[in-house]
Amino acid sequence: MPRYEVTIEKDACDGIFACLTRDPRFVEGEDGLATIDPGADPVYDCEGEVTDTDERVVATFDDDRIEEAKQAATACPTDAIVVEEVDR
């Protein structure tokens, strides 16, 4: 399975939340912007490492759900989300 990172640039996020409908790991954060919560998915028991700073959210996953993350990124009208495969 691919290991991949999902990055949300907070300064580009407008809180439109189109990503939430594509991947249930995306949720609304306390700041009113999108963030990632691996435990928010009601169907899959998902694990991931998430770093949330003032500038960005970076989550690393090692599962077969990269396409869902890419769909969330594509749905973002402000291009605030980047999904890329990373080395193991």
Side-chain angles (χ1 to χ4, degrees):
M1 284 184 268
R3 182 171 173 84
Y4 58 98
E5 278 186 355
V6 180
T7 303
I8 303 171
E9 295 294 340
K10 290 187 178 182
D11 64 343
C13 179
D14 282 345
I16 296 168
F17 303 122
C19 54
L20 275 65
T21 63
R22 305 314 193 282
D23 186 332
R25 297 173 290 184
F26 287 82
V27 296
E28 182 176 353
E30 291 181 13
D31 57 4
L33 302 175
T35 190
I36 300 170
D37 179 0
D41 190 327
V43 178
Y44 296 99
D45 185 18
C46 183
E47 292 184 18
E49 298 174 23
V50 180
T51 304
D52 192 338
T53 67
D54 289 341
E55 294 82 30
R56 69 187 51 88
V57 178
V58 180
T60 305
F61 295 99
D62 190 5
D63 59 31
D64 61 353
R65 299 178 63 196
I66 190 170
E67 287 307 313
E68 287 178 57
K70 286 181 178 180
Q71 288 176 12
T74 299
C76 180
T78 62
D79 295 325
I81 304 169
V82 175
V83 179
E84 54 192 359
E85 288 189 41
V86 294
D87 293 333
R88 292 185 164 263

